[in-house]
Amino acid sequence: MATIIPDLIKQYWHLRGYSFSVFREPPSQVWADFVHRTDELVVIAEGEIEVEIEGKAQRFQIGEMVFIPAKEIWKII
């Protein structure tokens, strides 16, 4: 199992031009039809997540990063 160290991720992302925040979602939370003005990078720290971007769904596990392009319609299932 991957070990997630938030401070290291924050430093690495800052060097790449990203900000860093921790979000915790309750199990079975669904976010549908989101569009962001900026690119988003998500790392899975606990559990798993399924993300659908422009109709293509992918499942991600702990330690994996998800890149969500700006202006794309996406949802978390």
Side-chain angles (χ1 to χ4, degrees):
M1 181 184 302
T3 300
I4 305 302
I5 303 171
D7 288 339
L8 292 178
I9 294 171
K10 183 177 183 175
Q11 290 172 9
Y12 176 63
W13 285 9
H14 179 72
L15 291 172
R16 295 175 65 192
Y18 289 95
S19 60
F20 178 86
S21 299
V22 174
F23 295 95
R24 295 188 189 278
E25 300 294 346
S28 303
Q29 175 69 48
V30 175
W31 296 97
D33 299 327
F34 273 76
V35 177
H36 288 268
R37 292 181 288 167
T38 60
D39 293 337
E40 187 166 324
L41 190 59
V42 176
V43 66
I44 311 308
E46 296 176 355
E48 59 183 29
I49 191 172
E50 184 173 326
V51 177
E52 183 179 304
I53 300 173
E54 293 295 327
K56 182 179 177 188
Q58 286 186 277
R59 184 167 293 279
F60 298 90
Q61 307 292 323
I62 294 172
E64 293 184 293
M65 289 190 199
V66 182
F67 176 75
I68 302 172
K71 301 178 184 172
E72 295 286 335
I73 297 173
W74 61 280
K75 64 181 165 182
I76 296 176
I77 304 166

